[in-house]
Amino acid sequence: MDAPHRVRRVHPAAWGGLALAVTATLVWSGNFVVARALHTQVPPVQTAFWRWIIALVAVAPFALGQVWRQR
């Protein structure tokens, strides 16, 4: 006789990890597509500058509280 099939429940934190992995993949691939589209109009240094500025603006809201407490 076969053993009954059990449904495995995924821990809620695993969904967060999956969401972060998908987000990282989408951001990386979007960045690649934009860089390829603009490589003739925008110099590489300017592309890198704006990439870092956008990353800083995206991450800053999560870090500002801790930075303010440790000032």
mmCIF file of all heavy atoms in Angstrom, residues 3-31:
data_model
loop_
_atom_site.group_PDB
_atom_site.id
_atom_site.type_symbol
_atom_site.label_atom_id
_atom_site.label_comp_id
_atom_site.label_asym_id
_atom_site.label_seq_id
_atom_site.Cartn_x
_atom_site.Cartn_y
_atom_site.Cartn_z
ATOM 1 N N ALA A 3 2.062 5.057 0.748
ATOM 2 C CA ALA A 3 1.955 6.000 1.865
ATOM 3 C C ALA A 3 1.135 7.203 1.414
ATOM 4 O O ALA A 3 1.191 7.608 0.254
ATOM 5 C CB ALA A 3 3.335 6.454 2.299
ATOM 6 N N PRO A 4 0.351 7.765 2.318
ATOM 7 C CA PRO A 4 -0.441 8.946 1.937
ATOM 8 C C PRO A 4 0.484 10.120 1.604
ATOM 9 O O PRO A 4 1.540 10.298 2.202
ATOM 10 C CB PRO A 4 -1.282 9.245 3.173
ATOM 11 C CG PRO A 4 -0.579 8.577 4.292
ATOM 12 C CD PRO A 4 0.157 7.400 3.718
ATOM 13 N N HIS A 5 0.068 10.883 0.635
ATOM 14 C CA HIS A 5 0.839 12.061 0.238
ATOM 15 C C HIS A 5 0.595 13.187 1.220
ATOM 16 O O HIS A 5 -0.542 13.486 1.556
ATOM 17 C CB HIS A 5 0.438 12.512 -1.167
ATOM 18 C CG HIS A 5 0.789 11.524 -2.216
ATOM 19 N ND1 HIS A 5 2.081 11.310 -2.619
ATOM 20 C CD2 HIS A 5 0.027 10.671 -2.947
ATOM 21 C CE1 HIS A 5 2.097 10.387 -3.544
ATOM 22 N NE2 HIS A 5 0.856 9.969 -3.763
ATOM 23 N N ARG A 6 1.671 13.769 1.661
ATOM 24 C CA ARG A 6 1.563 14.904 2.569
ATOM 25 C C ARG A 6 1.822 16.184 1.798
ATOM 26 O O ARG A 6 2.693 16.243 0.951
ATOM 27 C CB ARG A 6 2.593 14.810 3.679
ATOM 28 C CG ARG A 6 2.274 13.774 4.696
ATOM 29 C CD ARG A 6 3.178 13.974 5.871
ATOM 30 N NE ARG A 6 3.596 12.671 6.358
ATOM 31 C CZ ARG A 6 4.495 12.486 7.278
ATOM 32 N NH1 ARG A 6 5.108 13.519 7.803
ATOM 33 N NH2 ARG A 6 4.819 11.301 7.678
ATOM 34 N N VAL A 7 1.066 17.177 2.128
ATOM 35 C CA VAL A 7 1.285 18.494 1.535
ATOM 36 C C VAL A 7 2.298 19.215 2.409
ATOM 37 O O VAL A 7 2.097 19.370 3.606
ATOM 38 C CB VAL A 7 -0.034 19.300 1.452
ATOM 39 C CG1 VAL A 7 0.218 20.696 0.921
ATOM 40 C CG2 VAL A 7 -1.050 18.561 0.617
ATOM 41 N N ARG A 8 3.394 19.619 1.784
ATOM 42 C CA ARG A 8 4.413 20.353 2.530
ATOM 43 C C ARG A 8 4.101 21.840 2.479
ATOM 44 O O ARG A 8 3.905 22.395 1.429
ATOM 45 C CB ARG A 8 5.786 20.102 1.932
ATOM 46 C CG ARG A 8 6.186 18.658 2.033
ATOM 47 C CD ARG A 8 7.530 18.471 1.454
ATOM 48 N NE ARG A 8 8.443 18.396 2.574
ATOM 49 C CZ ARG A 8 9.751 18.485 2.455
ATOM 50 N NH1 ARG A 8 10.287 18.683 1.295
ATOM 51 N NH2 ARG A 8 10.515 18.373 3.503
ATOM 52 N N ARG A 9 4.047 22.428 3.626
ATOM 53 C CA ARG A 9 3.784 23.860 3.700
ATOM 54 C C ARG A 9 5.109 24.609 3.644
ATOM 55 O O ARG A 9 6.083 24.221 4.268
ATOM 56 C CB ARG A 9 3.044 24.200 4.972
ATOM 57 C CG ARG A 9 1.724 23.461 5.058
ATOM 58 C CD ARG A 9 0.705 24.305 5.746
ATOM 59 N NE ARG A 9 -0.535 23.551 5.809
ATOM 60 C CZ ARG A 9 -1.613 23.887 5.164
ATOM 61 N NH1 ARG A 9 -1.615 24.954 4.406
ATOM 62 N NH2 ARG A 9 -2.710 23.178 5.264
ATOM 63 N N VAL A 10 5.111 25.687 2.901
ATOM 64 C CA VAL A 10 6.303 26.512 2.783
ATOM 65 C C VAL A 10 6.272 27.565 3.880
ATOM 66 O O VAL A 10 5.260 28.220 4.107
ATOM 67 C CB VAL A 10 6.357 27.185 1.389
ATOM 68 C CG1 VAL A 10 7.563 28.085 1.268
ATOM 69 C CG2 VAL A 10 6.358 26.128 0.300
ATOM 70 N N HIS A 11 7.395 27.682 4.561
ATOM 71 C CA HIS A 11 7.499 28.669 5.631
ATOM 72 C C HIS A 11 7.345 30.068 5.031
ATOM 73 O O HIS A 11 7.876 30.354 3.962
ATOM 74 C CB HIS A 11 8.867 28.544 6.308
ATOM 75 C CG HIS A 11 8.949 29.256 7.603
ATOM 76 N ND1 HIS A 11 9.270 30.592 7.687
ATOM 77 C CD2 HIS A 11 8.735 28.845 8.867
ATOM 78 C CE1 HIS A 11 9.261 30.966 8.940
ATOM 79 N NE2 HIS A 11 8.940 29.909 9.685
ATOM 80 N N PRO A 12 6.621 30.972 5.692
ATOM 81 C CA PRO A 12 6.406 32.325 5.139
ATOM 82 C C PRO A 12 7.696 33.069 4.806
ATOM 83 O O PRO A 12 7.742 33.842 3.855
ATOM 84 C CB PRO A 12 5.628 33.051 6.230
ATOM 85 C CG PRO A 12 4.952 31.968 7.000
ATOM 86 C CD PRO A 12 5.874 30.781 6.935
ATOM 87 N N ALA A 13 8.763 32.840 5.563
ATOM 88 C CA ALA A 13 10.029 33.520 5.283
ATOM 89 C C ALA A 13 10.612 33.077 3.950
ATOM 90 O O ALA A 13 11.341 33.834 3.306
ATOM 91 C CB ALA A 13 11.027 33.265 6.405
ATOM 92 N N ALA A 14 10.298 31.867 3.521
ATOM 93 C CA ALA A 14 10.806 31.383 2.240
ATOM 94 C C ALA A 14 10.230 32.203 1.090
ATOM 95 O O ALA A 14 10.889 32.401 0.068
ATOM 96 C CB ALA A 14 10.480 29.906 2.066
ATOM 97 N N TRP A 15 8.995 32.664 1.232
ATOM 98 C CA TRP A 15 8.406 33.499 0.176
ATOM 99 C C TRP A 15 9.139 34.819 0.059
ATOM 100 O O TRP A 15 9.317 35.350 -1.034
ATOM 101 C CB TRP A 15 6.922 33.746 0.444
ATOM 102 C CG TRP A 15 6.097 32.514 0.269
ATOM 103 C CD1 TRP A 15 5.468 31.817 1.253
ATOM 104 C CD2 TRP A 15 5.830 31.817 -0.947
ATOM 105 N NE1 TRP A 15 4.821 30.727 0.718
ATOM 106 C CE2 TRP A 15 5.022 30.709 -0.628
ATOM 107 C CE3 TRP A 15 6.199 32.014 -2.276
ATOM 108 C CZ2 TRP A 15 4.581 29.810 -1.588
ATOM 109 C CZ3 TRP A 15 5.761 31.116 -3.233
ATOM 110 C CH2 TRP A 15 4.960 30.032 -2.884
ATOM 111 N N GLY A 16 9.587 35.367 1.166
ATOM 112 C CA GLY A 16 10.356 36.605 1.137
ATOM 113 C C GLY A 16 11.685 36.414 0.416
ATOM 114 O O GLY A 16 12.105 37.252 -0.377
ATOM 115 N N GLY A 17 12.338 35.291 0.689
ATOM 116 C CA GLY A 17 13.589 34.984 0.001
ATOM 117 C C GLY A 17 13.385 34.811 -1.489
ATOM 118 O O GLY A 17 14.185 35.293 -2.298
ATOM 119 N N LEU A 18 12.300 34.140 -1.842
ATOM 120 C CA LEU A 18 11.992 33.951 -3.259
ATOM 121 C C LEU A 18 11.706 35.301 -3.924
ATOM 122 O O LEU A 18 12.172 35.570 -5.033
ATOM 123 C CB LEU A 18 10.794 33.022 -3.423
ATOM 124 C CG LEU A 18 10.355 32.741 -4.848
ATOM 125 C CD1 LEU A 18 11.460 32.054 -5.619
ATOM 126 C CD2 LEU A 18 9.086 31.911 -4.857
ATOM 127 N N ALA A 19 10.965 36.155 -3.240
ATOM 128 C CA ALA A 19 10.652 37.475 -3.792
ATOM 129 C C ALA A 19 11.922 38.306 -3.988
ATOM 130 O O ALA A 19 12.078 38.987 -5.004
ATOM 131 C CB ALA A 19 9.671 38.213 -2.877
ATOM 132 N N LEU A 20 12.842 38.234 -3.032
ATOM 133 C CA LEU A 20 14.099 38.977 -3.171
ATOM 134 C C LEU A 20 14.949 38.436 -4.319
ATOM 135 O O LEU A 20 15.568 39.208 -5.048
ATOM 136 C CB LEU A 20 14.882 38.928 -1.863
ATOM 137 C CG LEU A 20 14.303 39.750 -0.718
ATOM 138 C CD1 LEU A 20 15.080 39.501 0.568
ATOM 139 C CD2 LEU A 20 14.317 41.226 -1.067
ATOM 140 N N ALA A 21 14.959 37.121 -4.485
ATOM 141 C CA ALA A 21 15.724 36.531 -5.588
ATOM 142 C C ALA A 21 15.141 36.934 -6.941
ATOM 143 O O ALA A 21 15.882 37.277 -7.870
ATOM 144 C CB ALA A 21 15.748 35.013 -5.453
ATOM 145 N N VAL A 22 13.822 36.918 -7.050
ATOM 146 C CA VAL A 22 13.181 37.330 -8.309
ATOM 147 C C VAL A 22 13.411 38.817 -8.558
ATOM 148 O O VAL A 22 13.702 39.226 -9.690
ATOM 149 C CB VAL A 22 11.673 36.984 -8.274
ATOM 150 C CG1 VAL A 22 10.932 37.628 -9.424
ATOM 151 C CG2 VAL A 22 11.484 35.475 -8.297
ATOM 152 N N THR A 23 13.320 39.631 -7.521
ATOM 153 C CA THR A 23 13.555 41.067 -7.665
ATOM 154 C C THR A 23 14.983 41.349 -8.122
ATOM 155 O O THR A 23 15.209 42.172 -9.016
ATOM 156 C CB THR A 23 13.271 41.793 -6.338
ATOM 157 O OG1 THR A 23 11.915 41.549 -5.969
ATOM 158 C CG2 THR A 23 13.511 43.282 -6.451
ATOM 159 N N ALA A 24 15.950 40.660 -7.535
ATOM 160 C CA ALA A 24 17.345 40.854 -7.939
ATOM 161 C C ALA A 24 17.543 40.476 -9.405
ATOM 162 O O ALA A 24 18.235 41.180 -10.150
ATOM 163 C CB ALA A 24 18.271 40.022 -7.049
ATOM 164 N N THR A 25 16.924 39.391 -9.823
ATOM 165 C CA THR A 25 17.042 38.970 -11.218
ATOM 166 C C THR A 25 16.413 39.992 -12.154
ATOM 167 O O THR A 25 16.990 40.332 -13.203
ATOM 168 C CB THR A 25 16.381 37.600 -11.417
ATOM 169 O OG1 THR A 25 16.989 36.664 -10.516
ATOM 170 C CG2 THR A 25 16.519 37.109 -12.828
ATOM 171 N N LEU A 26 15.256 40.498 -11.803
ATOM 172 C CA LEU A 26 14.588 41.496 -12.649
ATOM 173 C C LEU A 26 15.369 42.806 -12.713
ATOM 174 O O LEU A 26 15.479 43.417 -13.780
ATOM 175 C CB LEU A 26 13.167 41.749 -12.146
ATOM 176 C CG LEU A 26 12.183 40.598 -12.339
ATOM 177 C CD1 LEU A 26 10.856 40.916 -11.668
ATOM 178 C CD2 LEU A 26 11.983 40.316 -13.815
ATOM 179 N N VAL A 27 15.917 43.229 -11.593
ATOM 180 C CA VAL A 27 16.700 44.466 -11.575
ATOM 181 C C VAL A 27 17.961 44.298 -12.424
ATOM 182 O O VAL A 27 18.311 45.167 -13.218
ATOM 183 C CB VAL A 27 17.053 44.871 -10.124
ATOM 184 C CG1 VAL A 27 18.115 45.954 -10.089
ATOM 185 C CG2 VAL A 27 15.801 45.340 -9.405
ATOM 186 N N TRP A 28 18.653 43.182 -12.259
ATOM 187 C CA TRP A 28 19.874 42.943 -13.027
ATOM 188 C C TRP A 28 19.578 42.884 -14.520
ATOM 189 O O TRP A 28 20.273 43.517 -15.317
ATOM 190 C CB TRP A 28 20.536 41.641 -12.570
ATOM 191 C CG TRP A 28 21.802 41.385 -13.305
ATOM 192 C CD1 TRP A 28 23.049 41.858 -12.983
ATOM 193 C CD2 TRP A 28 21.961 40.627 -14.503
ATOM 194 N NE1 TRP A 28 23.960 41.425 -13.905
ATOM 195 C CE2 TRP A 28 23.324 40.658 -14.848
ATOM 196 C CE3 TRP A 28 21.086 39.910 -15.303
ATOM 197 C CZ2 TRP A 28 23.820 40.016 -15.967
ATOM 198 C CZ3 TRP A 28 21.585 39.268 -16.416
ATOM 199 C CH2 TRP A 28 22.938 39.323 -16.745
ATOM 200 N N SER A 29 18.555 42.147 -14.898
ATOM 201 C CA SER A 29 18.251 42.015 -16.327
ATOM 202 C C SER A 29 17.751 43.341 -16.906
ATOM 203 O O SER A 29 18.102 43.699 -18.033
ATOM 204 C CB SER A 29 17.237 40.902 -16.571
ATOM 205 O OG SER A 29 16.032 41.169 -15.887
ATOM 206 N N GLY A 30 16.969 44.083 -16.148
ATOM 207 C CA GLY A 30 16.518 45.393 -16.610
ATOM 208 C C GLY A 30 17.678 46.354 -16.782
ATOM 209 O O GLY A 30 17.741 47.111 -17.757
ATOM 210 N N ASN A 31 18.609 46.309 -15.855
ATOM 211 C CA ASN A 31 19.796 47.140 -15.939
ATOM 212 C C ASN A 31 20.602 46.790 -17.187
ATOM 213 O O ASN A 31 21.098 47.668 -17.887
ATOM 214 C CB ASN A 31 20.639 46.939 -14.682
ATOM 215 C CG ASN A 31 21.860 47.799 -14.669
ATOM 216 O OD1 ASN A 31 21.888 48.859 -15.268
ATOM 217 N ND2 ASN A 31 22.882 47.350 -13.977
#
